[in-house]
Amino acid sequence: MAMLTVEDLKIYYATPFGHVKAVDGVSFEVREGEVFGIAGESGCGKSTLVHSLILRKPPMVHMGGKALFKGRDLMRLSKEESRKIRYTELSIIPQYAMNALNPTKKIKDIVWDLAREHGHTDREEVERLLRERLKMVKLSEKVADMYPVELSGGMRQRATMVVSTLLNPDLLIADEVTSALDVTTQRVVIELLHHFMREGIVKSIIFVTHDLALLDKIADRMMILYAGKVVEIGPTEEVINEPSHPYTQLLLSSLPRMGIQYRKQKLRGIPGYPISLLNPPKGCRFYTRCPYALDKCPSEEPKLVKVGEEHYAACHLLGGEDQ
Amino acid sequence: MARESRLALVRIAFRNRKFQFGFGLLAFFVIFALIGPLFTPFAWNGLYYENVGGIKIASYGGKTLPPMSHEVITTYTGKKVEVLHILGTNINGQDLYARLVYGLRTSLWIALLAAAIGTVLGITIGLVAGYKGGWTDELLMMFTNIMLVIPSIVLLVLIAAYLSARTPGIQALIIGLTGWPWVARAVRSQTLSLKNREFVHLAKLAGLSDLRIIFTEVMPNMVSYIFMAGILQFSGAILASATLDFIGLGPTTMVSLGNILQRAIAYNALQFGWWWWFIPPGLIITLIITALFFINIGLEEVFNPRLRRE
Amino acid sequence: MGFRRYMVRKVVVYGITFVFAVTLNWLLPRLMPGNPIEAMVSRSGGAASSQLIKFYEEVYGLNQPMWKQFLNFWVNLFHGDLGYSMLYNAPVSSIIKHALPYDIAILLPAIVLSWLVGNWLGAIAGKNKKYDRYTMPLFYFLASMPYFWFAMILVYVVGVKLGWLPYSGAYAPDLVPSLSWTFIKSFLSHWILPFLSLFIVMIGSWAIGMRNMIIYELEADYVRYLEALGASEKLMTKHAYRNAILPQVTGLALQLGMMVAGAIATEIVFNYPGIGVLIMNAALNQDYFLLQGAFLIVVISVLAANFLIDIVYAFIDPRVRASYTEG
């Protein structure tokens, strides 16, 4: 069952020089009970995409497409409706999770302020839940009575995760939550997210990262974005083991692998830089950096082609004119 | 910020509305102070001088004439001169426009000098404290914080009261000597953040002396801060010198803006309604400080794009 | 735990500052050129004979060695003896005791109320760009005004031209201070203008500070997080406001000296019988004991107020306590 169905979503940024097409016709779905990974280089639109689901603020503009969350189009909700479903049904752990909590408010006060605005009336109940969850993530329940400044960075990260998921949202967005962390803490975070899923605290997770190796560990299905477009989408294992799109292949080969020494297999970066999203080419957006670019690549846009069970990629090399 | 881009920053600054306004206003008063005397026949003390055989002899105008009064002054030798009192005269028959222009000159000069002294002192102390660290830092910052808490005006009054002859230079010196702690604090925190940057480490590895590193690597990277701190010193100095003058501890040898206001109070100009005596000097002080404020916010926006509000 | 360490450090710092200020007060006259006693004597009674000067030097203990003078200075200070004012012909401490209440009467309400009103106006400006566009230049203009000049304008417009309020002294000259209704009425009507002149000018700088802080806080990560979790505008403002007001409390301590300076000059305009008028008269008449006494009292008051603010601040900002807990 689909928790979230995004269809042909277009999110642009209004700038003095024109529209920056940060997300340009993206479609995917997130199913109940799965972790859906979104990967890509910085500036590929992954952050814009998830943020547009939570909160669209100028200069972000919705230019078309739908995002059906439990049957309601997130793009058409009124301000107040959208405010109400945030946190209770749709929540986010932000990139800046370590600094997300107001330093001068006790954590229980922050939580109560938020819960009250979402219709909760029993303060004790909310605090009891908070303490329980804090224990669950291996923090002392006394943390509830402390100020965020009194906690270490790692503790703040976990506290933020507890706060974000306290009201059992159906869909949780984890936006680059592991980017600023060391490897050990990364593992803790991933385990916690798994734990949240197992306990039924959250039903689905969208996990955004630029780190493909990490997705391998957490995501059931994944999507790769390049310059605001979907490049490849499919079950994580298939995408990682049998990448179909040249971009995915290059991304994967740029990852260091366990057991293979640098001397034996040189890491390859991807030459060149992503194109400007102010005025993207008509055809494939990757052709400027693609080692296999064809004559038609600059002018003709490749469509998503089925390459396996639920596995699609958008590249002219895979044929697909007939579709 | 790289050295090449400094010119670009200046260009951005002149395109910033707030900077334009502040700079324009300040420039206006500076130019006014420089060329203002051309529009009046009166000397710095507001008197009309006639040269009689190498000796200058003063003649007074009419008492408390309102602005734009024409008057015929009879000089010592009996010559009749028609003069215009642009801003009227005071109780002694001194031309207030002339006093205002020369007073503005004095006030700007004192403020400039005091700001220079305060800024240089503050930079030195801040740099040494921040760069040396350790006990030097502890002691210097303790001293700085103490000076911050003691109200400088009261200290200034105390010092000034013991000086029987006060020149603008001495006033500037004592204002500068009490104004530096703000600069020192800002410069120190900047130095602290700069000192751990790569280029400073590199310079150290290259064996440059501390002094060379401070002057060639650290200082150029905080020009913007120093400049802004200097502007704040300038406005603080204008206010401090005006307040001192107003209490009656201004320069004994010259007229200044605060001095004109003190005279106005002393001769009950308020009660008699001689508004042209006390409105212009205060207004000029206020506008100059406003201008400096706007220059500073403009510069802040230039140096820190995050602050720009459209 | 953290609080105690914070307190100890503050007490030490303020103790050192106090000693420094007192020493400075003692040292300055001795560093300055000229002989204060000579100046004082010649002021109060014609020609200064060397005998008279000698006599006074003995009276004030100026013929003793420096270290003894310094010690005496401290001993006298702790006995509340600040010397004798030749100008007012009374002990300095009693003159100041009579003047101080007037300063408190105008300064305290002016500072507290301007802080509240200024923060409120500044918060509105920080949130509302349209309103901000008009009020910001006004705030800057207010903050640029010398207190005493604005006081002069008030005297001229409200006192002289309109004749609404008295503008000289602290009460009608034919009254004697008492708790009678006539006196209180007279006192209040004389109080309004000096109070207003400080209050209005102070609003400017508080409003500017608050406006800048609110803009900064509204962009902070924790506000973005609240918004992402569906907090209402009101809640975000509430959180931002609380954090923006904290630096304003520190600002209170930092601005205190400036405001006292403003009050001194303002009192002169209104001929209000506080420390300001004392300082002016003492300075112009070379009454050095009075001047030094006034300096000490002002410094001590400012130090005490700063200390109080520091304590309050530790209570309202958990970051202070946290920074003293580590290690």
Side-chain angles (χ1 to χ4, degrees), chain C residues 58-117:
Chain C
E58 246 163 70
V59 167
Y60 294 119
L62 293 176
N63 51 350
Q64 288 172 322
M66 278 294 175
W67 65 269
K68 194 129 193 234
Q69 288 184 31
F70 187 59
L71 210 71
N72 287 341
F73 191 76
W74 275 99
V75 171
N76 291 340
L77 181 64
F78 278 107
H79 284 111
D81 179 6
L82 295 172
Y84 193 83
S85 161
M86 295 194 172
L87 182 65
Y88 289 83
N89 242 327
V92 169
S93 52
S94 86
I95 299 171
I96 288 177
K97 216 185 291 164
H98 281 103
L100 201 57
Y102 292 106
D103 293 279
I104 297 173
I106 55 167
L107 255 179
L108 196 68
I111 291 177
V112 172
L113 291 176
S114 69
W115 191 81
L116 293 172
V117 175

Side-chain angles (χ1 to χ4, degrees), chain B residues 262-280:
Chain B
Q262 188 234 346
R263 291 296 195 87
I265 280 283
Y267 289 101
N268 293 327
L270 309 180
Q271 284 84 332
F272 290 113
W274 303 322
W275 55 266
W276 55 91
W277 192 349
F278 59 86
I279 299 247

Side-chain angles (χ1 to χ4, degrees), chain B residues 74-96:
Chain B
T74 315
T75 65
Y76 183 73
T77 50
K79 214 165 63 183
K80 288 191 189 313
V81 196
E82 210 208 311
V83 291
L84 167 65
H85 296 293
I86 300 174
L87 283 176
T89 59
N90 68 8
I91 190 108
N92 296 324
Q94 292 162 304
D95 184 75
L96 282 168

Side-chain angles (χ1 to χ4, degrees), chain A residues 152-180:
Chain A
S152 72
M155 287 161 89
R156 283 206 292 270
Q157 171 96 26
R158 271 180 282 165
T160 306
M161 291 176 74
V162 166
V163 173
S164 285
T165 56
L166 196 76
L167 302 186
N168 298 355
D170 297 310
L171 177 62
L172 176 68
I173 294 168
D175 178 26
E176 296 268 21
V177 282
T178 54
S179 308

